[in-house]
Amino acid sequence: MTQTATLAVASVAPHADTAPVIRDSRPLRLITCGSVDDGKSTLIGRLLWDTKAVKEDQAATLRRDSGQQNDLGLPDFALLLDGLQAEREQGITIDVAYRYFATDRRSFIVADTPGHEQYTRNMATGASTADLAILLVDARAGLLEQTRRHATIASLMGIKQFVLAVNKFDLVGYDKAVFDQISTEFKALALSLGVRQVTAIPMSALKGENVVYSGRSVIPWYEGPTLVETLELATLRSGQSTGFRLPVQRVSRPGESFRGYQGTVAGGAVKPGDSVAVLPSGQVANVKQIVTFDLVRNAAVSGDAITLVLDRQVDVARGDMIVSLDAQPQTGLAFDAQIVALQPDGIVPGKRYWLKAGSRRQRVQVEPVQQLDLKSGKWQAAEMLQMNAIGKVHLAFDETAIFDPYEQNRGTGAFILIDPDTNNTVAGGMITARRSELGGLNAHDGRVILSLPADLADELLATELLASRRDEVEARRLTTAAARQLLDDIDG
Amino acid sequence: MHVHTSEFDPHSKDPVTKPPLDPHLKALENEAIYIFREVAAEFEKPVMLYSIGKDSSVLLHLARKAFFPGRVPFPLLHIDTGWKFPEMIAFRDATAEKFDLDLIVHTNPRGAAEGIGPFSHGSAYHTDVMKTEALRQALDAGKYDAAFGGARRDEEASRAKERIYSFRTPDHKWDPRNQRPELWNIYNGMIRRGESVRAFPLSNWTEVDIWRYIQAENIELPPLYFAKKHRYVERDGMLMWAEDPRFEPLPGEQIQEGSLRFRTLGCWPLTGGIRSNATTLDEVIAELEIATVSERQGRAIDRDQAGSMEKKKREGYF
C-alpha cells in the first residue's frame, strides 16, 4: 500500500526538482474558450500529449487519421478532441468535450468548449462548473468580440481566475510588444468584469512552448509560469458562504419506522442536534441522525450526499429545502437574476417557463429588463433576449421560491429555465437579489413575519412566548438600516 | 405535536469501518449518488443497465449507497448476447442474489432464432443485433423512461461529448449536435411520452478512478479481471479466449496456454485478454499505472470503422 503517492495517470517532466510533491487530490476544473481557429483543440491536444495522457494505440489512430502531418512530425491534435464525425468534416468543435489529464501535482478536468458563436450554450455549459478559464487569443488577431463574450460569461458564472493564452506567438516573431499590448488590453477587460486574478502567457500550442514545457529558449524575456504550472497552483473555487442547505431530492421510507431526507449538502455544515427549518413551510425540527451507507456520521459538510433524519414528524417533500434555523436563504415570489439565453427562440417576455433550481421545479414568468452590449460592455434596456444574449431579468413565481444570491452560494443561487413547449433548456441563470414584495407582509400563509434588526430578533426569539411558537414565526434578520428602510417603504 | 421516535437503526448490523476516501474519490462518489437520486425521483420507470464489468460493479455499489437504507428502487437489466464468459453469468446471478436486486435478463429472440453470432456474422452485425437491437427491445418492453449506464467520458472520443442526462428520441436516437445544455448540476429531466434519458453517473470517472475506488471500497469483481491460466489464440493482434465449445481455431492457429487477465469484459470473441501476472488489486493497479495502451485497445467493436462508437450510439447503443 505504498502506491498512493504515485497514482498519477501520467507524469510530467518539467519540474527539475523531483522532491516528493503533495498531490491535491481534487481535480481542478477548467474551460478553454476563445474564437474559432484560436487553437483551443490544439492546445488541449498539446496538454494531453505532453502530460502523456494519450496512449500508444490512441496515438497510432491519431497519426493514421491525421494524414498529412505538419513539419514538426506531430499529428493533428485537434482530432483528439473533435470526436464527432461532423466536427471532423467541418474542422470545428461543435459540442463541449470533457478530457482528463494529470501531472504529479494534480489532476484536471478540462471542458473543451466551442468557439463558434452558434454554440455559445456549450461554452456556458462548460463555464458553469469550472474553477478557472483559459481564454485563448490568436497573437496576430488580438482580442475579438468572442473573447469579450466568453470572458463575460465566465465571470458571470463566478469564475475568478483567468489565464490569457496568447497563442500562435511564434507567428508574430515572439514579439514582446504584441504580448504586452494584448495582455494590457485583456487585463483591463478582466478588471471591468471584476476578475482580478489574470495570468497572461505567451505560447505556441502547436510547438508546445510554455504549455507544459518552458519556452524560455525562444521567449527569454518571459519569466512567468508555463500554463501547466499556473494550473497546478490555481485554487478551487469556493462557491458558498451561507448556512446549512439541503435541497431534498427524495424521501426515503424503507420501513414504517424510518423516514430520511436524501440530498446533497449545498452549503454549510450540519451535525446531530442542530436546529433546522424546512422551507417553504417554515416548520422547525432538530437533526437526529446523519445516515450514510458506511456509518452514522457526526457531521456532514457541503458536497456530502447524505440522508438526514429529524427528531419529529414534519411534512417534507422533494423540492423542499432543509436549512439552518439561524441562517436562512431568501424566500419570496419575486427575484432578480442574470441569465444567458441558450436557444434560438431566445427568452420571450411574459412566457411561463419551468424553472429548476436544485431539486425544486416551479413555474416562473420571466421579464427581460436589460441586455449586455458585448461591444461596449454596457447594459442596455431590452424587452426580449435573443439566443446567446446575456440579460438581467425579473422572475415572478406562483409559489414561494427559495434562493441564495449566486455570489454567496452557487448551489442554491443557480437555475435553469425549461421551455414547457419543447422541454428544452433555454437559459441558465444566477440569482442576484430578492425583489421586495410589500404585499408579502401579510400574504404569507397566515404566518407572522417579523423584520427586525438581528440582535433584536434574536432577543425576541429567545423569549419563552416565541420559543413555544417558533413554527409560526418567520424572522428576517435585518441590519438596523435595512429595517429602517423597510419601515420607510411601508409608510411611503 | 406528536414527536416521532424512530426505532429503526440503519446500522444495526455490523457497521464497517474503513479509512475515509480521498477527497477526489469522495467527490466523484457524491456526484454519482446525487445523479442516482435525481433520476430516481424525477422519472417514473428507471432501469439500470448492468453489464457485469468493473464499471457496472462500481455503478451498482453507488446505487446501493444512494438509496441506503432502502433497497435499490429499480431493476437491473442485462443484455445477454449469448457470448459472455460463463464466469460473468455466474457472477451476475450471485450478485443479484446477494444484494436482493431485481434482475432482468434479455436476449434478442430474433437474433437467437437466426443464430446470429460474432464468428458467423461478424462483430459489427452481431453487436448491432444482439446488443443495440436487444437493448431497444428491452427498453421498449419495460417502457423505461430512464436508463442508467456506466459509460465514462474518458473511454472514447464521442463519449467525451456525452451529457450526464443524455436525451433519446422515442426510437432511441442520440443527436450529438443537438444536446440539451447542462449547467451546474441541474439536470433537465423533462421528456414526452416515449422519449427517454440515458443517465451516466460515472461520466467524470477515469479508468484509474474506477480501480482506486474498487480498492478503497473493497468491491467484488468477476475473477476474469485477475490473471489466471487461460487457453487462447492470437488473432488479429488480439489474445482471444479459446475455452468455449463454439471456438474454432482458424487454419494454422495454435491454441496457447498462459497467464491472462481482461481489462474490459464483453463478448469473449470481441474482448481480448492481456498477458499479465496481476492476481491482486494492488498488482492490477500497479500494472495500469504503467500501461502504455488505452483500456479499449482490446475491443474489436470500437475499430470496425471510423466514428464507430458514435454511429452505434446514434442508433441506440450505449
Side-chain angles (χ1 to χ4, degrees), chain A residues 7 25 56-57 85 87 95 100 128 249 257 292 318 356 421, chain B residues 8 11 24 38 161 179 182 184 187 192 204 289 292 294 310:
Chain A
L7 272 173
S25 66
E56 277 174 13
D57 55 316
Q85 290 289 299
E87 294 178 317
D95 206 340
Y100 307 80
S128 70
Q249 287 184 283
S257 62
T292 64
R318 172 174 166 82
K356 193 179 177 199
D421 300 329
Chain B
F8 182 91
H11 291 279
H24 173 55
E38 200 61 12
K161 305 262 170 181
Q179 302 192 75
E182 202 159 84
W184 301 285
Y187 304 113
R192 294 201 178 94
N204 287 318
E289 281 166 22
T292 54
S294 80
E310 181 186 346

PDB file of all heavy atoms in Angstrom, chain A residues 7 25 56-57 85 87 95 100 128 249 257 292 318 356 421, chain B residues 8 11 24 38 161 179 182 184 187 192 204 289 292 294 310:
ATOM      1  N   LEU A   7       0.083   7.721  -7.777  1.00  0.00           N
ATOM      2  CA  LEU A   7      -1.064   7.282  -8.560  1.00  0.00           C
ATOM      3  C   LEU A   7      -1.445   8.192  -9.717  1.00  0.00           C
ATOM      4  O   LEU A   7      -2.520   8.076 -10.249  1.00  0.00           O
ATOM      5  CB  LEU A   7      -2.274   7.071  -7.655  1.00  0.00           C
ATOM      6  CG  LEU A   7      -2.317   5.657  -7.067  1.00  0.00           C
ATOM      7  CD1 LEU A   7      -3.418   5.532  -6.047  1.00  0.00           C
ATOM      8  CD2 LEU A   7      -2.498   4.622  -8.165  1.00  0.00           C
ATOM      9  N   SER A  25      -5.645  16.158  -4.289  1.00  0.00           N
ATOM     10  CA  SER A  25      -6.321  15.044  -4.955  1.00  0.00           C
ATOM     11  C   SER A  25      -7.642  15.451  -5.596  1.00  0.00           C
ATOM     12  O   SER A  25      -8.242  14.682  -6.311  1.00  0.00           O
ATOM     13  CB  SER A  25      -6.535  13.898  -3.979  1.00  0.00           C
ATOM     14  OG  SER A  25      -7.427  14.311  -2.996  1.00  0.00           O
ATOM     15  N   GLU A  56      -0.602   4.781 -26.478  1.00  0.00           N
ATOM     16  CA  GLU A  56       0.038   4.421 -27.749  1.00  0.00           C
ATOM     17  C   GLU A  56      -0.958   4.085 -28.855  1.00  0.00           C
ATOM     18  O   GLU A  56      -0.796   4.493 -29.998  1.00  0.00           O
ATOM     19  CB  GLU A  56       0.971   3.221 -27.540  1.00  0.00           C
ATOM     20  CG  GLU A  56       2.325   3.621 -27.007  1.00  0.00           C
ATOM     21  CD  GLU A  56       3.191   2.418 -26.670  1.00  0.00           C
ATOM     22  OE1 GLU A  56       2.838   1.297 -27.085  1.00  0.00           O
ATOM     23  OE2 GLU A  56       4.212   2.610 -25.989  1.00  0.00           O
ATOM     24  N   ASP A  57      -2.010   3.314 -28.504  1.00  0.00           N
ATOM     25  CA  ASP A  57      -2.967   2.944 -29.544  1.00  0.00           C
ATOM     26  C   ASP A  57      -3.760   4.154 -30.019  1.00  0.00           C
ATOM     27  O   ASP A  57      -4.083   4.286 -31.201  1.00  0.00           O
ATOM     28  CB  ASP A  57      -3.906   1.828 -29.058  1.00  0.00           C
ATOM     29  CG  ASP A  57      -4.625   2.177 -27.775  1.00  0.00           C
ATOM     30  OD1 ASP A  57      -3.971   2.706 -26.853  1.00  0.00           O
ATOM     31  OD2 ASP A  57      -5.830   1.926 -27.682  1.00  0.00           O
ATOM     32  N   GLN A  85     -18.176  12.955 -35.995  1.00  0.00           N
ATOM     33  CA  GLN A  85     -17.954  12.951 -37.443  1.00  0.00           C
ATOM     34  C   GLN A  85     -18.137  14.343 -38.048  1.00  0.00           C
ATOM     35  O   GLN A  85     -17.320  14.785 -38.835  1.00  0.00           O
ATOM     36  CB  GLN A  85     -18.915  11.958 -38.105  1.00  0.00           C
ATOM     37  CG  GLN A  85     -18.598  10.511 -37.797  1.00  0.00           C
ATOM     38  CD  GLN A  85     -17.322  10.035 -38.485  1.00  0.00           C
ATOM     39  OE1 GLN A  85     -17.229  10.038 -39.701  1.00  0.00           O
ATOM     40  NE2 GLN A  85     -16.331   9.648 -37.706  1.00  0.00           N
ATOM     41  N   GLU A  87     -17.792  17.150 -36.711  1.00  0.00           N
ATOM     42  CA  GLU A  87     -16.718  18.053 -36.310  1.00  0.00           C
ATOM     43  C   GLU A  87     -15.496  17.845 -37.177  1.00  0.00           C
ATOM     44  O   GLU A  87     -14.805  18.778 -37.572  1.00  0.00           O
ATOM     45  CB  GLU A  87     -16.359  17.814 -34.838  1.00  0.00           C
ATOM     46  CG  GLU A  87     -17.474  18.192 -33.892  1.00  0.00           C
ATOM     47  CD  GLU A  87     -17.125  17.917 -32.443  1.00  0.00           C
ATOM     48  OE1 GLU A  87     -16.562  16.851 -32.141  1.00  0.00           O
ATOM     49  OE2 GLU A  87     -17.426  18.771 -31.614  1.00  0.00           O
ATOM     50  N   ASP A  95     -19.481  20.505 -29.953  1.00  0.00           N
ATOM     51  CA  ASP A  95     -20.015  20.317 -28.613  1.00  0.00           C
ATOM     52  C   ASP A  95     -18.898  20.285 -27.584  1.00  0.00           C
ATOM     53  O   ASP A  95     -17.759  19.991 -27.901  1.00  0.00           O
ATOM     54  CB  ASP A  95     -20.818  19.011 -28.555  1.00  0.00           C
ATOM     55  CG  ASP A  95     -21.868  19.073 -27.464  1.00  0.00           C
ATOM     56  OD1 ASP A  95     -21.721  19.904 -26.551  1.00  0.00           O
ATOM     57  OD2 ASP A  95     -22.832  18.305 -27.534  1.00  0.00           O
ATOM     58  N   TYR A 100      -9.535  14.421 -19.409  1.00  0.00           N
ATOM     59  CA  TYR A 100      -8.939  14.218 -18.100  1.00  0.00           C
ATOM     60  C   TYR A 100      -7.447  14.049 -18.276  1.00  0.00           C
ATOM     61  O   TYR A 100      -7.003  13.280 -19.110  1.00  0.00           O
ATOM     62  CB  TYR A 100      -9.544  12.961 -17.459  1.00  0.00           C
ATOM     63  CG  TYR A 100     -11.051  13.042 -17.449  1.00  0.00           C
ATOM     64  CD1 TYR A 100     -11.790  12.750 -18.590  1.00  0.00           C
ATOM     65  CD2 TYR A 100     -11.725  13.494 -16.315  1.00  0.00           C
ATOM     66  CE1 TYR A 100     -13.163  12.888 -18.609  1.00  0.00           C
ATOM     67  CE2 TYR A 100     -13.098  13.623 -16.327  1.00  0.00           C
ATOM     68  CZ  TYR A 100     -13.811  13.327 -17.478  1.00  0.00           C
ATOM     69  OH  TYR A 100     -15.179  13.481 -17.493  1.00  0.00           O
ATOM     70  N   SER A 128     -20.065  26.748 -16.298  1.00  0.00           N
ATOM     71  CA  SER A 128     -20.869  26.692 -15.076  1.00  0.00           C
ATOM     72  C   SER A 128     -20.194  25.893 -13.966  1.00  0.00           C
ATOM     73  O   SER A 128     -20.437  26.133 -12.796  1.00  0.00           O
ATOM     74  CB  SER A 128     -22.266  26.136 -15.373  1.00  0.00           C
ATOM     75  OG  SER A 128     -22.213  24.766 -15.684  1.00  0.00           O
ATOM     76  N   GLN A 249     -33.933  15.786  -2.273  1.00  0.00           N
ATOM     77  CA  GLN A 249     -34.142  15.100  -3.548  1.00  0.00           C
ATOM     78  C   GLN A 249     -35.216  14.035  -3.439  1.00  0.00           C
ATOM     79  O   GLN A 249     -35.985  13.809  -4.352  1.00  0.00           O
ATOM     80  CB  GLN A 249     -32.830  14.435  -4.003  1.00  0.00           C
ATOM     81  CG  GLN A 249     -31.779  15.398  -4.504  1.00  0.00           C
ATOM     82  CD  GLN A 249     -30.574  14.632  -5.016  1.00  0.00           C
ATOM     83  OE1 GLN A 249     -29.772  14.147  -4.229  1.00  0.00           O
ATOM     84  NE2 GLN A 249     -30.448  14.507  -6.317  1.00  0.00           N
ATOM     85  N   SER A 257     -40.684   2.575  10.377  1.00  0.00           N
ATOM     86  CA  SER A 257     -40.086   3.375  11.444  1.00  0.00           C
ATOM     87  C   SER A 257     -38.964   4.294  10.974  1.00  0.00           C
ATOM     88  O   SER A 257     -38.373   5.004  11.763  1.00  0.00           O
ATOM     89  CB  SER A 257     -39.556   2.447  12.541  1.00  0.00           C
ATOM     90  OG  SER A 257     -38.547   1.631  11.983  1.00  0.00           O
ATOM     91  N   THR A 292     -25.321   7.603   6.365  1.00  0.00           N
ATOM     92  CA  THR A 292     -24.762   7.253   5.055  1.00  0.00           C
ATOM     93  C   THR A 292     -24.565   5.745   5.038  1.00  0.00           C
ATOM     94  O   THR A 292     -24.708   5.074   6.056  1.00  0.00           O
ATOM     95  CB  THR A 292     -23.417   7.951   4.767  1.00  0.00           C
ATOM     96  OG1 THR A 292     -22.446   7.486   5.702  1.00  0.00           O
ATOM     97  CG2 THR A 292     -23.527   9.465   4.875  1.00  0.00           C
ATOM     98  N   ARG A 318     -39.902  16.299  -1.838  1.00  0.00           N
ATOM     99  CA  ARG A 318     -38.889  16.676  -2.827  1.00  0.00           C
ATOM    100  C   ARG A 318     -39.118  18.129  -3.241  1.00  0.00           C
ATOM    101  O   ARG A 318     -40.261  18.541  -3.470  1.00  0.00           O
ATOM    102  CB  ARG A 318     -38.994  15.774  -4.056  1.00  0.00           C
ATOM    103  CG  ARG A 318     -38.103  16.232  -5.218  1.00  0.00           C
ATOM    104  CD  ARG A 318     -38.108  15.265  -6.378  1.00  0.00           C
ATOM    105  NE  ARG A 318     -37.529  15.856  -7.570  1.00  0.00           N
ATOM    106  CZ  ARG A 318     -36.221  15.937  -7.813  1.00  0.00           C
ATOM    107  NH1 ARG A 318     -35.363  15.442  -6.925  1.00  0.00           N
ATOM    108  NH2 ARG A 318     -35.760  16.505  -8.916  1.00  0.00           N
ATOM    109  N   LYS A 356     -35.893  25.275 -12.822  1.00  0.00           N
ATOM    110  CA  LYS A 356     -35.387  24.230 -11.932  1.00  0.00           C
ATOM    111  C   LYS A 356     -34.145  24.748 -11.225  1.00  0.00           C
ATOM    112  O   LYS A 356     -33.209  25.243 -11.856  1.00  0.00           O
ATOM    113  CB  LYS A 356     -35.067  22.944 -12.708  1.00  0.00           C
ATOM    114  CG  LYS A 356     -34.850  21.764 -11.748  1.00  0.00           C
ATOM    115  CD  LYS A 356     -34.564  20.450 -12.454  1.00  0.00           C
ATOM    116  CE  LYS A 356     -34.285  19.373 -11.393  1.00  0.00           C
ATOM    117  NZ  LYS A 356     -33.575  18.212 -11.917  1.00  0.00           N
ATOM    118  N   ASP A 421     -42.964  24.093 -23.907  1.00  0.00           N
ATOM    119  CA  ASP A 421     -43.432  23.619 -25.209  1.00  0.00           C
ATOM    120  C   ASP A 421     -42.483  22.595 -25.828  1.00  0.00           C
ATOM    121  O   ASP A 421     -42.902  21.704 -26.546  1.00  0.00           O
ATOM    122  CB  ASP A 421     -43.593  24.799 -26.182  1.00  0.00           C
ATOM    123  CG  ASP A 421     -44.598  25.815 -25.664  1.00  0.00           C
ATOM    124  OD1 ASP A 421     -45.542  25.393 -24.954  1.00  0.00           O
ATOM    125  OD2 ASP A 421     -44.426  27.018 -25.935  1.00  0.00           O
TER     126      ASP A 421
ATOM    127  N   PHE B   8     -35.861   2.353  14.140  1.00  0.00           N
ATOM    128  CA  PHE B   8     -35.116   1.700  13.070  1.00  0.00           C
ATOM    129  C   PHE B   8     -33.678   2.196  13.055  1.00  0.00           C
ATOM    130  O   PHE B   8     -33.424   3.386  12.918  1.00  0.00           O
ATOM    131  CB  PHE B   8     -35.795   2.019  11.735  1.00  0.00           C
ATOM    132  CG  PHE B   8     -35.155   1.381  10.542  1.00  0.00           C
ATOM    133  CD1 PHE B   8     -35.576   0.140  10.098  1.00  0.00           C
ATOM    134  CD2 PHE B   8     -34.130   2.021   9.861  1.00  0.00           C
ATOM    135  CE1 PHE B   8     -34.990  -0.438   8.974  1.00  0.00           C
ATOM    136  CE2 PHE B   8     -33.545   1.437   8.750  1.00  0.00           C
ATOM    137  CZ  PHE B   8     -33.980   0.204   8.313  1.00  0.00           C
ATOM    138  N   HIS B  11     -27.930   1.033  10.920  1.00  0.00           N
ATOM    139  CA  HIS B  11     -26.629   0.393  11.058  1.00  0.00           C
ATOM    140  C   HIS B  11     -26.611  -0.620  12.190  1.00  0.00           C
ATOM    141  O   HIS B  11     -25.610  -0.793  12.865  1.00  0.00           O
ATOM    142  CB  HIS B  11     -25.534   1.441  11.260  1.00  0.00           C
ATOM    143  CG  HIS B  11     -25.311   2.246  10.030  1.00  0.00           C
ATOM    144  ND1 HIS B  11     -24.551   1.796   8.980  1.00  0.00           N
ATOM    145  CD2 HIS B  11     -25.796   3.454   9.664  1.00  0.00           C
ATOM    146  CE1 HIS B  11     -24.562   2.719   8.019  1.00  0.00           C
ATOM    147  NE2 HIS B  11     -25.298   3.715   8.404  1.00  0.00           N
ATOM    148  N   HIS B  24     -10.889  13.304  -3.756  1.00  0.00           N
ATOM    149  CA  HIS B  24     -11.231  13.189  -5.176  1.00  0.00           C
ATOM    150  C   HIS B  24     -12.265  12.080  -5.388  1.00  0.00           C
ATOM    151  O   HIS B  24     -13.308  12.287  -6.016  1.00  0.00           O
ATOM    152  CB  HIS B  24      -9.953  12.909  -5.976  1.00  0.00           C
ATOM    153  CG  HIS B  24     -10.193  12.599  -7.427  1.00  0.00           C
ATOM    154  ND1 HIS B  24     -10.896  13.438  -8.252  1.00  0.00           N
ATOM    155  CD2 HIS B  24      -9.820  11.542  -8.184  1.00  0.00           C
ATOM    156  CE1 HIS B  24     -10.944  12.899  -9.469  1.00  0.00           C
ATOM    157  NE2 HIS B  24     -10.299  11.747  -9.448  1.00  0.00           N
ATOM    158  N   GLU B  38     -31.452  11.881  -8.186  1.00  0.00           N
ATOM    159  CA  GLU B  38     -32.190  12.817  -9.023  1.00  0.00           C
ATOM    160  C   GLU B  38     -33.020  12.057 -10.070  1.00  0.00           C
ATOM    161  O   GLU B  38     -34.197  12.336 -10.263  1.00  0.00           O
ATOM    162  CB  GLU B  38     -31.178  13.765  -9.685  1.00  0.00           C
ATOM    163  CG  GLU B  38     -31.737  15.072 -10.191  1.00  0.00           C
ATOM    164  CD  GLU B  38     -32.358  15.957  -9.126  1.00  0.00           C
ATOM    165  OE1 GLU B  38     -32.182  15.700  -7.915  1.00  0.00           O
ATOM    166  OE2 GLU B  38     -33.059  16.906  -9.524  1.00  0.00           O
ATOM    167  N   LYS B 161     -18.232  13.557 -25.339  1.00  0.00           N
ATOM    168  CA  LYS B 161     -19.210  14.607 -25.661  1.00  0.00           C
ATOM    169  C   LYS B 161     -20.564  14.369 -25.015  1.00  0.00           C
ATOM    170  O   LYS B 161     -21.509  15.096 -25.277  1.00  0.00           O
ATOM    171  CB  LYS B 161     -19.411  14.637 -27.183  1.00  0.00           C
ATOM    172  CG  LYS B 161     -18.145  14.811 -27.977  1.00  0.00           C
ATOM    173  CD  LYS B 161     -17.936  16.230 -28.373  1.00  0.00           C
ATOM    174  CE  LYS B 161     -16.540  16.409 -28.955  1.00  0.00           C
ATOM    175  NZ  LYS B 161     -16.278  17.782 -29.343  1.00  0.00           N
ATOM    176  N   GLN B 179     -27.720  18.498 -28.272  1.00  0.00           N
ATOM    177  CA  GLN B 179     -27.899  18.035 -26.903  1.00  0.00           C
ATOM    178  C   GLN B 179     -28.347  19.194 -26.031  1.00  0.00           C
ATOM    179  O   GLN B 179     -28.027  20.346 -26.291  1.00  0.00           O
ATOM    180  CB  GLN B 179     -26.581  17.481 -26.376  1.00  0.00           C
ATOM    181  CG  GLN B 179     -26.037  16.347 -27.206  1.00  0.00           C
ATOM    182  CD  GLN B 179     -24.896  15.647 -26.490  1.00  0.00           C
ATOM    183  OE1 GLN B 179     -25.102  14.897 -25.551  1.00  0.00           O
ATOM    184  NE2 GLN B 179     -23.683  15.917 -26.936  1.00  0.00           N
ATOM    185  N   GLU B 182     -26.181  21.583 -20.310  1.00  0.00           N
ATOM    186  CA  GLU B 182     -26.231  21.012 -18.966  1.00  0.00           C
ATOM    187  C   GLU B 182     -25.375  21.864 -18.040  1.00  0.00           C
ATOM    188  O   GLU B 182     -24.154  21.735 -18.035  1.00  0.00           O
ATOM    189  CB  GLU B 182     -25.729  19.567 -19.002  1.00  0.00           C
ATOM    190  CG  GLU B 182     -26.201  18.744 -17.846  1.00  0.00           C
ATOM    191  CD  GLU B 182     -26.130  17.254 -18.175  1.00  0.00           C
ATOM    192  OE1 GLU B 182     -25.042  16.672 -18.013  1.00  0.00           O
ATOM    193  OE2 GLU B 182     -27.132  16.674 -18.599  1.00  0.00           O
ATOM    194  N   TRP B 184     -24.217  23.573 -14.344  1.00  0.00           N
ATOM    195  CA  TRP B 184     -24.041  23.201 -12.938  1.00  0.00           C
ATOM    196  C   TRP B 184     -24.399  21.726 -12.767  1.00  0.00           C
ATOM    197  O   TRP B 184     -24.072  20.925 -13.629  1.00  0.00           O
ATOM    198  CB  TRP B 184     -24.884  24.113 -12.030  1.00  0.00           C
ATOM    199  CG  TRP B 184     -24.525  25.554 -12.190  1.00  0.00           C
ATOM    200  CD1 TRP B 184     -23.409  26.175 -11.707  1.00  0.00           C
ATOM    201  CD2 TRP B 184     -25.262  26.566 -12.909  1.00  0.00           C
ATOM    202  NE1 TRP B 184     -23.416  27.496 -12.085  1.00  0.00           N
ATOM    203  CE2 TRP B 184     -24.525  27.765 -12.810  1.00  0.00           C
ATOM    204  CE3 TRP B 184     -26.460  26.563 -13.624  1.00  0.00           C
ATOM    205  CZ2 TRP B 184     -24.960  28.955 -13.385  1.00  0.00           C
ATOM    206  CZ3 TRP B 184     -26.884  27.749 -14.199  1.00  0.00           C
ATOM    207  CH2 TRP B 184     -26.147  28.930 -14.075  1.00  0.00           C
ATOM    208  N   TYR B 187     -30.079  19.117 -13.680  1.00  0.00           N
ATOM    209  CA  TYR B 187     -30.383  18.292 -14.839  1.00  0.00           C
ATOM    210  C   TYR B 187     -31.838  18.455 -15.264  1.00  0.00           C
ATOM    211  O   TYR B 187     -32.734  18.515 -14.430  1.00  0.00           O
ATOM    212  CB  TYR B 187     -30.067  16.822 -14.521  1.00  0.00           C
ATOM    213  CG  TYR B 187     -28.641  16.650 -14.069  1.00  0.00           C
ATOM    214  CD1 TYR B 187     -28.337  16.274 -12.760  1.00  0.00           C
ATOM    215  CD2 TYR B 187     -27.594  16.938 -14.935  1.00  0.00           C
ATOM    216  CE1 TYR B 187     -27.014  16.164 -12.342  1.00  0.00           C
ATOM    217  CE2 TYR B 187     -26.278  16.836 -14.533  1.00  0.00           C
ATOM    218  CZ  TYR B 187     -25.995  16.443 -13.240  1.00  0.00           C
ATOM    219  OH  TYR B 187     -24.692  16.354 -12.827  1.00  0.00           O
ATOM    220  N   ARG B 192     -41.193  13.853 -23.123  1.00  0.00           N
ATOM    221  CA  ARG B 192     -42.548  13.471 -23.516  1.00  0.00           C
ATOM    222  C   ARG B 192     -42.656  11.953 -23.481  1.00  0.00           C
ATOM    223  O   ARG B 192     -41.658  11.248 -23.424  1.00  0.00           O
ATOM    224  CB  ARG B 192     -42.842  13.963 -24.935  1.00  0.00           C
ATOM    225  CG  ARG B 192     -42.891  15.466 -25.041  1.00  0.00           C
ATOM    226  CD  ARG B 192     -43.682  15.866 -26.284  1.00  0.00           C
ATOM    227  NE  ARG B 192     -43.773  17.317 -26.375  1.00  0.00           N
ATOM    228  CZ  ARG B 192     -42.919  18.062 -27.070  1.00  0.00           C
ATOM    229  NH1 ARG B 192     -41.935  17.485 -27.743  1.00  0.00           N
ATOM    230  NH2 ARG B 192     -43.044  19.369 -27.111  1.00  0.00           N
ATOM    231  N   ASN B 204     -17.638  11.442 -15.075  1.00  0.00           N
ATOM    232  CA  ASN B 204     -16.371  12.114 -14.795  1.00  0.00           C
ATOM    233  C   ASN B 204     -15.300  11.212 -14.199  1.00  0.00           C
ATOM    234  O   ASN B 204     -14.268  11.691 -13.754  1.00  0.00           O
ATOM    235  CB  ASN B 204     -16.617  13.316 -13.868  1.00  0.00           C
ATOM    236  CG  ASN B 204     -17.287  14.452 -14.612  1.00  0.00           C
ATOM    237  OD1 ASN B 204     -16.934  14.756 -15.750  1.00  0.00           O
ATOM    238  ND2 ASN B 204     -18.285  15.061 -13.996  1.00  0.00           N
ATOM    239  N   GLU B 289      -0.947   1.620 -14.040  1.00  0.00           N
ATOM    240  CA  GLU B 289      -0.231   2.893 -13.984  1.00  0.00           C
ATOM    241  C   GLU B 289       0.872   2.990 -15.014  1.00  0.00           C
ATOM    242  O   GLU B 289       1.243   4.078 -15.432  1.00  0.00           O
ATOM    243  CB  GLU B 289       0.377   3.083 -12.595  1.00  0.00           C
ATOM    244  CG  GLU B 289      -0.644   3.545 -11.597  1.00  0.00           C
ATOM    245  CD  GLU B 289      -0.143   3.397 -10.190  1.00  0.00           C
ATOM    246  OE1 GLU B 289       1.072   3.334  -9.985  1.00  0.00           O
ATOM    247  OE2 GLU B 289      -0.984   3.321  -9.283  1.00  0.00           O
ATOM    248  N   THR B 292       0.799   1.507 -21.412  1.00  0.00           N
ATOM    249  CA  THR B 292       1.021   2.494 -22.463  1.00  0.00           C
ATOM    250  C   THR B 292      -0.077   2.440 -23.522  1.00  0.00           C
ATOM    251  O   THR B 292      -0.063   3.200 -24.470  1.00  0.00           O
ATOM    252  CB  THR B 292       2.382   2.259 -23.152  1.00  0.00           C
ATOM    253  OG1 THR B 292       2.418   0.903 -23.602  1.00  0.00           O
ATOM    254  CG2 THR B 292       3.531   2.507 -22.192  1.00  0.00           C
ATOM    255  N   SER B 294      -4.461   2.178 -24.271  1.00  0.00           N
ATOM    256  CA  SER B 294      -5.697   2.535 -23.612  1.00  0.00           C
ATOM    257  C   SER B 294      -6.508   1.284 -23.292  1.00  0.00           C
ATOM    258  O   SER B 294      -6.265   0.204 -23.816  1.00  0.00           O
ATOM    259  CB  SER B 294      -6.514   3.491 -24.478  1.00  0.00           C
ATOM    260  OG  SER B 294      -7.197   2.767 -25.472  1.00  0.00           O
ATOM    261  N   GLU B 310     -19.667   6.384 -32.275  1.00  0.00           N
ATOM    262  CA  GLU B 310     -20.686   7.410 -32.466  1.00  0.00           C
ATOM    263  C   GLU B 310     -21.867   6.856 -33.266  1.00  0.00           C
ATOM    264  O   GLU B 310     -23.026   7.061 -32.905  1.00  0.00           O
ATOM    265  CB  GLU B 310     -20.087   8.619 -33.189  1.00  0.00           C
ATOM    266  CG  GLU B 310     -21.115   9.739 -33.400  1.00  0.00           C
ATOM    267  CD  GLU B 310     -20.576  10.886 -34.235  1.00  0.00           C
ATOM    268  OE1 GLU B 310     -19.357  10.955 -34.442  1.00  0.00           O
ATOM    269  OE2 GLU B 310     -21.406  11.692 -34.682  1.00  0.00           O
TER     270      GLU B 310
END
